[in-house]
Amino acid sequence: MKVFRKKRTGEEISRFEALNCIPVKSLQVRETRGETGLVLLCYPIEIRSWIAGWIRRFGGSSDGGRIKKLQLDELGTAVWDLLDGSRSVGQVIQHFTAMQRLYPKEATVAVTLFLRELGRRGLIGLR
Amino acid sequence: MPWREIAWNGVRFSTPELWEVVKIGPRYLLLADEGGPALEIKWERIKGRFSHRTALKRLNSLHRDTVQESPLPEEWKKILGDFTVTGFSWQAKTKGARGAILHCSTCGNATLIQFFRDFSALSHETCHRVLSSFQDHSPDNRVLWSIFDIRAKIPAEYRLVQYRFEAGRFELHFGSEKQQITLYRWGPASALLANGSLLAFAAKTIRIQGSEWRPLTWIGHHAVQWEKSVPGDLWARCRERMMGKPHFQWFRLWHLLHENRILGVGAKGDKTFQSELLDMICTQYESL
């Protein structure tokens, strides 16, 4: 018996279903565009209560939430701009491939990894 | 239906463009489309005699005794006339395949090709075309490499040593004794060169000071080149050898504006490469 087997948190979806999902930006994300046109994302993160306690003890803010920043590069900005709440993941990949004249497989890997990272940080959700 | 050619480590064949390479090994390719795996090819250089029966037994053990020797369709027999061939098929609960084990007496390669579909008449044509385009050795001393969006010809004596396919960066390393040739491909160039020139990119990526690179125009493309050769005197050569540095090092990177890619060729070794050879490799290296 594998004691430490990784628990599956939910139902796995097929590749086809994943490509049909629509990425939606979180309402809590604030985006600012720099002079170079690159997007800076600011989003709140929840801090565990015991860490917040330590921060408080050392004179930090006591509200338990902090703002984190994520500076996107040119490609990240291009993908972020394609997330309009109506395009599916597959359509975002198609647009990105055409825009950057990339090899489709390469664009798929790059975009899906990027969206996964945004999802992990809670910046987008999939509908 | 558009087709394209795939060439990898000595073998080459044509496939529908919709079939993508999803798994790659030094002597292995798995192609799939949206419906799942479509074609698997693995090959090996055989020293001495090749036994079809043993190969079939080995395959059978992999597929839990479901593999059966099956007669080849007449069309397959005709197009695979240059090989000694054994046909086979297997069927598991959810998937099955039909294929052939080929042995080429010219180069000694044994190849297993299998199609993972229950093919209709149209797909039989697809199999037919894939098999008829299959070659396991090149007619000249140049080996074609054509995978994803790159295509190059490398002298046959240079064997594949290492490869890396990552989003935005491909690398193929070839070696022959102490000589090494490397192919690079980066993209998208517009993003990589957004904050600087090709020279700055080359300096940062290859880790050689910008002032040492020489800008040039290579077959109509903006390019940069760097070369280092240890001076001829014995002491200098001994010192470099003790330091583990190659006697000769060379890089050329060029920007394909239309394809939005940066291609590069690197060479290093204990002997100086002929400039004609390096130029020829660069000329035949392209992004599709």
Side-chain angles (χ1 to χ4, degrees), chain B:
Chain B
M1 182 166 53
W3 282 61
R4 56 111 189 258
E5 187 177 38
I6 291 177
W8 181 249
N9 214 356
V11 304
R12 58 197 279 190
F13 52 93
S14 299
T15 65
E17 230 174 45
L18 289 173
W19 293 9
E20 281 178 358
V21 176
V22 291
K23 216 170 177 185
I24 190 163
R27 288 181 187 80
Y28 178 83
L29 289 170
L30 178 67
L31 284 85
D33 62 6
E34 285 191 346
L39 169 70
E40 183 183 49
I41 298 191
K42 42 183 152 182
W43 64 102
E44 207 175 328
R45 181 62 56 89
I46 303 292
K47 287 174 186 167
R49 285 184 64 184
F50 174 71
S51 162
H52 283 262
R53 195 158 294 278
T54 312
L56 208 60
K57 266 186 192 168
R58 205 185 296 168
L59 184 67
N60 199 21
S61 64
L62 278 176
H63 293 286
R64 296 178 185 177
D65 297 336
T66 56
V67 179
Q68 287 182 330
E69 187 173 346
S70 63
L72 283 177
E74 279 304 314
E75 286 176 338
W76 287 28
K77 271 186 196 166
K78 272 184 207 164
I79 51 176
L80 297 172
D82 294 340
F83 304 92
T84 338
V85 191
T86 305
F88 68 87
S89 63
W90 58 270
Q91 186 62 51
K93 270 182 191 167
T94 52
K95 58 181 180 180
R98 180 169 205 181
I101 297 168
L102 323 176
H103 180 247
C104 174
S105 55
T106 314
C107 65
N109 262 348
T111 309
L112 182 142
I113 302 180
Q114 54 180 336
F115 297 95
F116 294 94
R117 293 288 156 84
D118 180 21
F119 285 98
S120 61
L122 179 72
S123 301
H124 268 305
E125 257 176 50
T126 310
C127 295
H128 188 266
R129 191 162 163 189
V130 172
L131 290 173
S132 60
S133 65
F134 180 79
Q135 290 175 41
D136 64 351
H137 56 267
S138 60
D140 55 12
N141 200 26
R142 301 255 177 272
V143 178
L144 179 72
W145 296 81
S146 178
I147 194 100
F148 301 118
D149 67 340
I150 55 171
R151 187 183 159 94
K153 273 191 168 183
I154 300 291
E157 66 266 27
Y158 286 87
R159 307 269 173 203
L160 181 70
V161 177
Q162 208 183 328
Y163 56 88
R164 189 165 123 181
F165 294 105
E166 287 170 4
R169 183 183 179 132
F170 295 173
E171 273 179 33
L172 287 170
H173 298 265
F174 303 91
S176 169
E177 294 174 357
K178 287 184 176 175
Q179 305 293 94
Q180 206 178 81
I181 293 170
T182 307
L183 303 180
Y184 299 94
R185 196 228 69 166
W186 295 275
S190 55
L192 295 168
L193 303 179
N195 298 321
S197 61
L198 180 65
L199 200 141
F201 172 79
K204 189 180 162 195
T205 313
I206 310 289
R207 293 178 189 168
I208 293 166
Q209 276 193 355
S211 56
E212 294 184 29
W213 290 85
R214 183 167 61 90
L216 70 149
T217 303
W218 169 249
I219 46 174
H221 305 294
H222 177 46
V224 289
Q225 188 172 308
W226 176 85
E227 184 177 334
K228 188 190 166 199
S229 196
V230 177
D233 71 276
L234 191 65
W235 170 238
R237 292 187 73 161
C238 284
R239 192 183 56 207
E240 293 290 317
R241 188 157 285 191
M242 280 191 288
M243 301 280 282
K245 287 182 182 171
H247 166 70
F248 176 82
Q249 279 178 285
W250 181 94
F251 286 100
R252 181 183 290 162
L253 274 68
W254 62 101
H255 178 199
L256 301 178
L257 199 65
H258 183 254
E259 290 84 358
N260 202 19
R261 305 275 194 276
I262 299 166
L263 294 185
V265 173
K268 62 180 179 182
D270 285 349
K271 293 177 198 160
T272 306
F273 280 76
Q274 284 183 337
S275 61
E276 292 81 13
L277 172 72
L278 295 172
D279 280 347
M280 194 208 65
I281 290 169
C282 292
T283 312
Q284 293 177 334
Y285 183 29
E286 54 185 340
S287 178
L288 305 171

Side-chain angles (χ1 to χ4, degrees), chain A residues 74 100-101 103 105-106, chain B residues 4 168 185 194 258 260-261:
Chain A
E74 199 170 301
Q100 302 291 340
R101 280 169 283 157
Y103 187 72
K105 175 94 181 157
E106 193 176 19
Chain B
R4 56 111 189 258
R185 196 228 69 166
H258 183 254
N260 202 19
R261 305 275 194 276

Side-chain angles (χ1 to χ4, degrees), chain A residues 59-120:
Chain A
S61 73
S62 57
D63 55 1
R66 301 192 95 191
I67 297 294
K68 206 163 181 189
K69 291 176 181 175
L70 178 66
Q71 176 68 62
L72 301 184
D73 65 2
E74 199 170 301
L75 299 177
T77 300
V79 176
W80 182 258
D81 289 342
L82 287 170
L83 307 181
D84 61 357
S86 62
R87 286 192 186 106
S88 67
V89 174
Q91 286 167 333
V92 169
I93 292 169
Q94 271 179 9
H95 276 80
F96 185 68
T97 307
M99 273 166 59
Q100 302 291 340
R101 280 169 283 157
L102 284 171
Y103 187 72
K105 175 94 181 157
E106 193 176 19
T108 307
V109 172
V111 172
T112 49
L113 281 176
F114 179 65
L115 293 181
R116 191 182 293 173
E117 181 57 28
L118 293 182
R120 198 183 62 77

Side-chain angles (χ1 to χ4, degrees), chain A:
Chain A
M1 189 179 78
K2 287 187 178 173
V3 180
F4 298 107
R5 182 179 288 167
K6 195 178 174 185
K7 284 179 187 166
R8 290 188 176 177
T9 48
E11 269 184 37
E12 283 187 15
I13 57 170
S14 69
R15 183 175 180 268
F16 181 74
E17 286 169 329
L19 290 176
N20 274 333
C21 287
I22 297 170
V24 184
K25 293 176 183 173
S26 163
L27 294 173
Q28 291 188 311
V29 180
R30 195 163 50 84
E31 59 177 269
T32 43
R33 211 166 282 266
E35 281 175 14
T36 50
L38 302 182
V39 167
L40 174 72
L41 302 176
C42 301
Y43 58 100
I45 51 162
E46 288 285 319
I47 301 176
R48 287 169 198 263
S49 55
W50 64 272
I51 299 176
W54 273 101
I55 293 172
R56 237 185 347 261
R57 200 165 292 176
F58 287 102
S61 73
S62 57
D63 55 1
R66 301 192 95 191
I67 297 294
K68 206 163 181 189
K69 291 176 181 175
L70 178 66
Q71 176 68 62
L72 301 184
D73 65 2
E74 199 170 301
L75 299 177
T77 300
V79 176
W80 182 258
D81 289 342
L82 287 170
L83 307 181
D84 61 357
S86 62
R87 286 192 186 106
S88 67
V89 174
Q91 286 167 333
V92 169
I93 292 169
Q94 271 179 9
H95 276 80
F96 185 68
T97 307
M99 273 166 59
Q100 302 291 340
R101 280 169 283 157
L102 284 171
Y103 187 72
K105 175 94 181 157
E106 193 176 19
T108 307
V109 172
V111 172
T112 49
L113 281 176
F114 179 65
L115 293 181
R116 191 182 293 173
E117 181 57 28
L118 293 182
R120 198 183 62 77
R121 289 171 184 253
L123 303 178
I124 60 161
L126 290 178
R127 195 166 65 195

